[in-house]
Amino acid sequence: QVQLVESGGGLVQAGGSLRLSCAQSGATWSIHATDWYRQAPGKQREPVARIVSGGETNYVDSVKGRFTISRDNDKDTVYLQMNRLKPEDTAVYYCYADYTNWRQWPREKADYDPELGSWGQGTQVTVSA
């Protein structure tokens, strides 16, 4: 199993920046890809960005050009650099370690099967106008 701990969230004004961190421990060799998801109040949890073990990155259109996902293998940490933040970016941001290499990304819905991946507890990001 893999344990994930997110940090770096907070309150920022529109146009500002934050960097989120996802510290990974345990069976990190089993991770095929690490994703960032977010969930706003009353909405579904949705994908934001992905970094695959081979280095490939993917972003949803709403954050492309503003957010950057990266990985520091020496620290077992994945980052999400968030620039030019907008109020609609306000959400709880979750880190997800995906053990599989066969599921479509992005997906319409998140899943919570512990055999397929592992979730962190989330970090709150609030962007004021």
Side-chain angles (χ1 to χ4, degrees):
Q1 62 179 359
V2 173
Q3 296 80 46
L4 309 174
V5 178
E6 301 98 332
S7 62
L11 174 64
V12 65
Q13 290 188 325
S17 298
L18 287 172
R19 189 180 73 162
L20 307 183
S21 298
C22 173
Q24 303 176 319
S25 61
T28 57
W29 57 87
S30 66
I31 302 173
H32 169 67
T34 299
D35 302 341
W36 285 98
Y37 282 72
R38 65 188 182 187
Q39 187 167 21
K43 296 185 178 180
Q44 298 290 324
R45 192 170 297 188
E46 64 179 17
V48 177
R50 156 168 286 215
I51 185 164
V52 184
S53 60
E56 179 187 2
T57 59
N58 296 278
Y59 304 89
V60 296
D61 288 343
S62 61
V63 308
K64 191 173 298 182
R66 299 189 298 122
F67 292 8
T68 303
I69 188 169
S70 62
R71 180 179 61 237
D72 186 335
N73 290 321
D74 291 338
K75 297 182 178 180
D76 287 328
T77 300
V78 174
Y79 302 96
L80 185 67
Q81 179 67 47
M82 309 164 64
N83 298 327
R84 305 196 307 278
L85 283 161
K86 305 175 181 179
E88 51 262 45
D89 296 319
T90 295
V92 176
Y93 283 70
Y94 297 90
C95 187
Y96 178 73
D98 191 347
Y99 307 149
T100 74
N101 65 356
W102 49 266
R103 289 185 290 171
Q104 179 184 358
W105 194 95
R107 295 181 290 275
E108 287 294 320
K109 298 180 179 179
D111 68 69
Y112 304 93
D113 185 342
E115 289 193 48
L116 302 182
S118 181
W119 291 97
Q121 294 302 304
T123 184
Q124 176 71 51
V125 171
T126 303
V127 184
S128 62

